Amino acid sequence: MKKLELHWQILIGMLLGILFGFAMTQISWGKEFVNDWIQPLGTIFVKLLKLIAIPLILASLVKGISDLKDISKFRNIGLRTIGTYIVTTVVAITIGLLLVNVLNPGSGISEETVTKLTDTYAGDAGVTSKLEEASRQKDSGPLQFLEDMVPDNALAAMTDNALMLQVIFFTIFLGISMLLIGEKKAKPLKDFFDSLNYVVLKMVDLIMLTAPYAVFALLAGVVVSSSDPDLLLALLKYAGVVVLGLALMIVFYATIVGLVTKKNPFWFLKEISPAQLLAFSTSSSAATLPVTMERVEEHIGVDKEVSSFVLPVGATINMDGTSLYQGVAAVFISQALGFDLTFGNQLTIVLTALLASIGSAAVPGAGMVMLVIVLESIGFPADKLAIGLALIFAVDRPLDMCRTVVNVTGDATVSMLVAKSVDKLGDPHVEEWDDHLDEVKGKDS
């Protein structure tokens, strides 16, 4: 019997997890059972992916840079990467603003619903923590982003996935320095990182063996912890606008891939789908990064020289889905609370969402912090910020899952575009977890 492909295994796991979660909500002890005995399995899976994210960035980026043998090539890749990410982010925000202005979802929110949402969520710890974090970021200086990129302790940076930009900075610095000392002197260190890269990729293969079971656990946990169904229905129009915008971004990516790389867009989406499904389940670009790199390099054919730079940088600064959500959410909140937006305000949303996405962490919930910054940039009343966040808090987690899918798809798309532009897009070379199993088996086994 032919084994189901990985994306089908993961999809089945997701569907079963959702159904199991709904079934458990009908039982008095169901939520507690899922939280105690099921969800930890998903949490362990996410921890394993995060565990290898930093070693993978370190090994693959050093390998990619040291393989270039020409610093000018790295400059070309870097400039094209940043430029393309900026363009796709602006496209995403524009799509979001167009949809929310045309469909006007805020007009369907009644005063009663606003009051109920405010009473339920305005004092929620999740909302207040986002307001505090946004206030801290707003008070920082204009060059704080650049300052935060440079670590004062490389080893300390490697202990925190939120400091991924610092790890990337150190790794690029290390890789360029290796190029400058010459191939002969750099060879021992290069061999070490080459070997580490292969080992970490094999760890990705092993972790992915448990992916279908992990997404079952993650989705079951999400379902049993979901908010009041009545509140979710009240926000259905708003959520629908966000999801429609995200779907249009996927169409945009697929179209660009087809036009620029001449690859079949449906083939591209199929090959990247395991990373998309994990992004949906974990709501984290950083946690999904090891899988994204494995799919892009082995299954799509992007050279490591490109993917090792484009994807870690993208997981940190490319937030297309989140930026689209900023535009929709900011205008929706303004519509619902009667705050009139001018054309200038909407241009400010585009610029602020773009800048906020660059400094945003690749972790669940970062979008809410960015949203506060965007709302403050257009002069939204400070005393209504908590109410504004409370309006959308009920559906933030499911929308966070959806926008992370777009973030990851955008990273993969840009890696293909940059690889094509520097002639580094080749044929796939898939490696399975047991490719070298015979080498480590005993002769008598």
Side-chain angles (χ1 to χ4, degrees), residues 197-306:
N197 178 69
Y198 289 122
V199 170
V200 176
L201 285 176
K202 190 58 64 178
M203 293 171 75
V204 176
D205 290 338
L206 293 173
I207 293 170
M208 287 302 290
L209 293 176
T210 66
Y213 311 100
V215 296
F216 168 86
L218 289 167
L219 268 295
V222 168
V223 171
V224 298
S225 61
S226 61
S227 303
D228 184 344
D230 292 336
L231 294 179
L232 296 179
L233 286 173
L235 295 171
L236 195 59
K237 189 176 179 183
Y238 155 70
V241 173
V242 176
V243 172
L244 175 59
L246 297 176
L248 289 176
M249 275 306 294
I250 297 288
V251 173
F252 170 74
Y253 293 139
T255 304
I256 293 298
V257 165
L259 293 175
V260 177
T261 69
K262 308 303 180 186
K263 300 280 188 180
N264 187 324
F266 297 103
W267 169 83
F268 162 69
L269 292 175
K270 173 178 172 290
E271 295 303 329
I272 200 65
S273 59
Q276 292 175 319
L277 294 171
L278 286 183
F280 182 81
S281 303
T282 63
S283 298
S284 172
S285 302
T288 313
L289 179 60
V291 182
T292 309
M293 294 186 73
E294 188 261 351
R295 300 303 298 187
V296 165
E297 290 170 12
E298 296 184 15
H299 296 260
I300 292 178
V302 174
D303 196 288
K304 185 172 288 294
E305 294 174 10
V306 175

Side-chain angles (χ1 to χ4, degrees), residues 93-106 241 327-328 331-332 335 341-343 346 349:
I93 301 168
T94 304
I95 288 175
L97 289 177
L98 287 173
L99 287 176
V100 74
N101 279 288
V102 171
L103 299 177
N104 197 22
V241 173
V328 175
V331 177
F332 167 76
Q335 291 170 348
L341 292 176
T342 65
F343 181 70
Q346 305 226 13
I349 290 175

Side-chain angles (χ1 to χ4, degrees), residues 107-166:
S107 63
I109 300 294
S110 65
E111 295 259 351
E112 181 185 352
T113 302
V114 171
T115 302
K116 187 175 181 181
L117 287 165
T118 303
D119 292 342
T120 305
Y121 295 111
D124 188 279
V127 170
T128 54
S129 65
K130 300 296 187 299
L131 289 169
E132 290 169 2
E133 175 62 21
S135 177
R136 186 191 68 78
Q137 290 192 21
K138 187 186 176 187
D139 292 339
S140 60
L143 296 180
Q144 187 65 43
F145 171 65
L146 290 176
E147 187 179 332
D148 290 342
M149 280 180 58
V150 183
D152 56 7
N153 186 323
L155 294 180
M158 292 176 198
T159 64
D160 187 351
N161 280 16
L163 301 178
M164 198 176 290
L165 267 181
Q166 293 191 359

Side-chain angles (χ1 to χ4, degrees), residues 14-27 30-31 34 38 216-217 219-226:
M14 289 173 62
L15 294 174
L16 290 176
I18 292 170
L19 292 174
F20 181 77
F22 277 122
M24 287 294 101
T25 59
Q26 308 305 313
I27 304 173
K31 182 175 181 179
V34 171
I38 304 297
F216 168 86
L219 268 295
V222 168
V223 171
V224 298
S225 61
S226 61

Side-chain angles (χ1 to χ4, degrees), residues 383-406:
D383 59 338
K384 290 188 176 181
L385 280 174
I387 298 174
L389 292 192
L391 273 180
I392 62 171
F393 195 76
V395 291
D396 184 64
R397 179 58 198 274
L399 291 182
D400 195 8
M401 296 161 73
C402 294
R403 61 186 184 247
T404 306
V405 173
V406 172

